[in-house]
Amino acid sequence: MDNEIFRKLLQKHAGGQALSPGEEAALRQAYDHLLEEEIAAAAEGPSPAPEEQPGADIRERIDQHIAARRTKRFHFYYMKRAAAALVVGFILSAGIYWFLWDRKVSNDRLAQQEEVLPGGNKARLTLADGSVISLGDAQNGLIATESGVRIEKDANGNIRYHTGEKQESILPAVNTITTPNGGQYRVTLPDGSVAMLNAASSLSYPVRFSEKERRVKMTGEVYFEIEKMRLPGGKGNVPFFVETAGQEVQVLGTHFNVNAYRDETAIRTTLVEGSVKIKSKDGQSTLLKPGQQAVLAEQLHVQQADIQQQLAWVNGDFVFGGETLESILHQVERWYDIEAECPAHIGKLRFNGMVSRSQPLSAIVKMIQSTRKATVTIKKRRLIVTD
């Protein structure tokens, strides 16, 4: 194992990442190998005085460990070489010591700051008459009735619509669920379809869908699982339409995710199962297959999707696969309800990592700082990134 791999394993361990049994064994073997090489190379060199060894206490513990494993090998013949090894030991130990000390100081400073907790199930339901219900505060059970439709909050805290007998209405009642920064919410729509809203998102829908089509409007990011409905007479399925500011998605029965945040550079529609047709406001259109993603910026194009990354938020995680720090911070701002400041040149840096969305903000900070590409400071609800 060369010095670079040895250094990377040391940094991984010091960064709090777990080493596999094989990596641990490789690290110990590499250390022993490097030490033996330096002993041979420095055999004729002078031995430093004890007072010239700032890392002597660390070196002593390492030497004791080595001595316990090599009692038979270190006899009088090797005394001179062992003394020379102290020089190398000091260099290695001091490097490890100061690396860990720097990390400890950074973590201690972080711990002294006020911890920012992650978001949770928070949303507002706006009824057709304009009244607003805080879904996080509402008790389980019946919370409202609109056009003969019962709106209930179930034991899991999710909203469900239960339709009774059909009621004709010139203007069907429309409900809107809105999540704030630091909120997410799951709703079962009147047709049985499921929608899960990410932070800073909204979804508007009628409490009774038409027999000919189902149509909803959204902002932000929403994951859908659409139930199939048969048209009257059994001739095909009732189409489902999702409208955003820049496009319309036509669905028959499928699972997909739409990311249409205004502060992102494009609208991304990711198909997990089934098929959807994307049509932009300026007339561009395409048909998606499972595993594909439509990206609408100035032009509409299709690419293969990283499903794990695109749906990580639905599964309770952040997954960053070569994303820019600017994009990562947008997600962090929405989920932790904070403001982030980052110079443009640092925002272009790309990161890889995975962090549970149930972790406090400090977990994201540690991930960013472990790369040594940027320094992150938390001041109340502001996250400040510097070189």
Side-chain angles (χ1 to χ4, degrees):
M1 180 182 290
D2 60 27
N3 292 356
E4 179 63 17
I5 297 176
F6 175 65
R7 182 184 65 80
K8 288 183 177 180
L9 285 177
L10 272 179
Q11 288 184 340
K12 182 178 179 181
H13 177 67
Q17 296 178 274
L19 297 181
S20 67
E23 289 176 326
E24 290 180 353
L27 186 58
R28 288 194 296 269
Q29 182 180 6
Y31 179 85
D32 292 344
H33 180 68
L34 287 173
L35 188 58
E36 288 176 357
E37 285 185 343
E38 295 299 334
I39 288 173
E44 300 299 328
S47 177
E51 61 271 18
E52 297 174 349
Q53 302 179 33
D57 57 332
I58 301 176
R59 177 66 255 165
E60 182 180 357
R61 289 194 295 272
I62 295 176
D63 284 345
Q64 289 174 354
H65 178 66
I66 294 174
R69 296 174 58 193
R70 300 186 177 181
T71 304
K72 295 182 180 180
R73 295 180 60 187
F74 281 88
H75 296 294
F76 178 77
Y77 178 76
Y78 292 102
M79 289 296 291
K80 188 175 182 179
R81 293 185 178 184
L86 290 176
V87 177
V88 181
F90 163 68
I91 295 172
L92 291 174
S93 301
I96 297 170
Y97 175 81
W98 289 113
F99 183 86
L100 293 176
W101 175 256
D102 178 67
R103 177 174 175 268
K104 179 180 183 299
V105 170
S106 297
N107 288 344
D108 287 346
R109 288 173 179 170
L110 190 61
Q112 292 173 3
Q113 300 171 3
E114 183 180 354
E115 192 67 274
V116 178
L117 300 179
N121 287 338
K122 292 182 288 186
R124 299 188 311 274
L125 174 64
T126 303
L127 302 178
D129 62 3
S131 59
V132 178
I133 300 173
S134 174
L135 297 178
D137 299 331
Q139 298 294 318
N140 293 346
L142 181 66
I143 60 174
T145 301
E146 292 248 277
S147 301
V149 176
R150 292 168 54 87
I151 307 172
E152 298 180 355
K153 181 178 179 181
D154 65 22
N156 295 320
N158 303 318
I159 294 300
R160 294 178 178 272
Y161 285 77
H162 300 278
T163 57
E165 295 182 1
K166 181 179 178 181
Q167 293 185 2
E168 297 295 337
S169 176
I170 299 176
L171 294 174
V174 174
N175 283 185
T176 299
I177 286 186
T178 305
T179 55
N181 283 336
Q184 64 180 23
Y185 218 83
R186 178 187 174 98
V187 55
T188 299
L189 298 172
D191 65 340
S193 297
V194 173
M196 184 170 179
L197 287 72
N198 203 347
S201 303
S202 70
L203 181 66
S204 297
Y205 48 88
V207 298
R208 289 181 181 272
F209 285 116
S210 164
E211 292 183 346
K212 297 181 179 180
E213 70 171 28
R214 297 167 288 173
R215 188 173 294 271
V216 302
K217 296 181 180 181
M218 61 155 286
T219 65
E221 184 168 22
V222 182
Y223 171 73
F224 294 93
E225 295 182 356
I226 305 302
E227 283 288 315
K228 290 184 178 180
M229 287 182 60
R230 301 296 292 176
L231 286 166
K235 298 180 180 180
N237 294 318
V238 179
F240 193 106
F241 296 92
V242 179
E243 296 181 12
T244 70
Q247 69 177 25
E248 177 184 271
V249 181
Q250 181 179 349
V251 190
L252 294 178
T254 188
H255 298 180
F256 63 101
N257 188 78
V258 181
N259 184 318
Y261 286 112
R262 297 182 184 275
D263 58 359
E264 298 292 352
T265 58
I267 299 176
R268 299 178 184 273
T269 305
T270 305
L271 181 61
V272 180
E273 178 183 308
S275 64
V276 297
K277 181 180 180 180
I278 312 297
K279 183 178 180 180
S280 68
K281 296 297 184 181
D282 60 5
Q284 302 177 72
S285 65
T286 188
L287 186 67
L288 288 186
K289 297 178 181 179
Q292 292 183 331
Q293 180 182 80
V295 181
L296 176 61
E298 294 182 358
Q299 298 293 321
L300 176 65
H301 71 274
V302 176
Q303 63 187 25
Q304 287 301 119
D306 185 334
I307 299 297
Q308 181 188 18
Q309 180 176 339
Q310 294 301 315
L311 298 186
W313 72 272
V314 178
N315 298 317
D317 295 312
F318 288 109
V319 174
F320 307 124
E323 289 189 66
T324 64
L325 182 56
E326 179 183 23
S327 177
I328 291 173
L329 292 179
H330 284 163
Q331 299 176 54
V332 170
E333 284 181 313
R334 291 190 287 262
W335 184 236
Y336 292 95
D337 190 18
I338 62 166
E339 294 182 2
E341 299 177 12
C342 179
H345 69 284
I346 302 180
K348 295 177 181 179
L349 297 175
R350 296 185 178 274
F351 290 78
N352 294 283
M354 178 175 179
V355 178
S356 170
R357 279 163 59 104
S358 65
Q359 294 294 313
L361 180 60
S362 58
I364 299 288
V365 172
K366 289 177 183 178
M367 183 205 74
I368 296 174
Q369 295 201 141
S370 68
T371 66
R372 296 186 172 269
K373 294 180 180 180
T375 299
V376 184
T377 304
I378 302 174
K379 293 184 178 180
K380 295 185 178 180
R381 303 199 72 84
R382 291 172 58 231
L383 187 149
I384 303 170
V385 181
T386 56
D387 288 308

